[in-house]
Structure formats: structure tokens, C-alpha cells
Amino acid sequence: MRLTITALALAGLFCLPASAATGKELYDKSCKACHGAQGEGNPGMAKMLKVEIRHLGSPEVQKSTDAQLKKAILEGTGKMKPVKLSAADADAVVAFVRTLKK
């Protein structure tokens, strides 16, 4: 029974391309606290930082190029601090962010 539940919990990862699945794992570790599980933004964090955290699937975020998103991840932007990831890992996070498009 436990194996079946685990398999069902992981099933969402198997629907993503390999880089996006890796990106989701990295996102969950490095980004989720501020940006939310599905890119919706953490209201508590936004209030604390006195910023608006846009949904990562929003047209405003999705119109950014991959290079712009990668730069924001690796160098930070506004009050967002840089995330310590390799360039390849940042590419994987960008691939995951693309799956959040509304």
C-alpha cells in the first residue's frame, strides 16, 4: 500500500520533461518558501518583505526570456536574493517555471 501511495505522489513528476522534473525538485528546495508550491507566491513572505510576488505562471513573468529568468535566479532581482545554483540547475528551474504558465 505504501508503495502505491508513493507512486501516486510521484506521478506528477513523471509527466514533466526530465529537466522540468529536476527543476521542480530544485524549486521545492530553493524557491518554494517565497514563491509557493505552484508559483502562487507566499503572502506572508510578500507582506514581510513589503513586495508583490507575482504568480510565476502569470503573463508578466512568462513573457520573460529564459535568459532573463535565469539571471533573476542566479543574480537576484529587487529584494530577491541570488539563489546558489549551478547554471545547469538554474536552467532546470526555468524549465519548471515554464510548466506553471496559466
Side-chain angles (χ1 to χ4, degrees), residues 2-83:
R2 190 176 271 176
L3 180 60
T4 303
I5 293 170
T6 302
L8 290 173
L10 294 175
L13 289 179
F14 297 117
C15 297
L16 297 175
S19 61
T22 299
K24 180 177 179 2
E25 292 173 15
L26 293 163
Y27 175 92
D28 285 347
K29 291 178 187 172
S30 301
C31 312
K32 185 168 116 175
C34 295
H35 290 283
Q38 294 300 313
E40 70 279 6
N42 177 334
M45 187 64 68
K47 183 177 180 180
M48 184 178 77
L49 294 173
K50 298 179 182 168
V51 297
E52 175 189 354
I53 300 177
R54 288 194 175 105
H55 192 295
L56 296 178
S58 71
E60 296 85 11
V61 174
Q62 291 291 320
K63 74 178 180 184
S64 299
T65 66
D66 288 357
Q68 289 170 323
L69 292 174
K70 183 176 179 178
K71 181 177 179 180
I73 293 166
L74 295 176
E75 296 179 15
T77 182
K79 291 188 178 180
M80 179 180 149
K81 300 209 185 270
V83 180

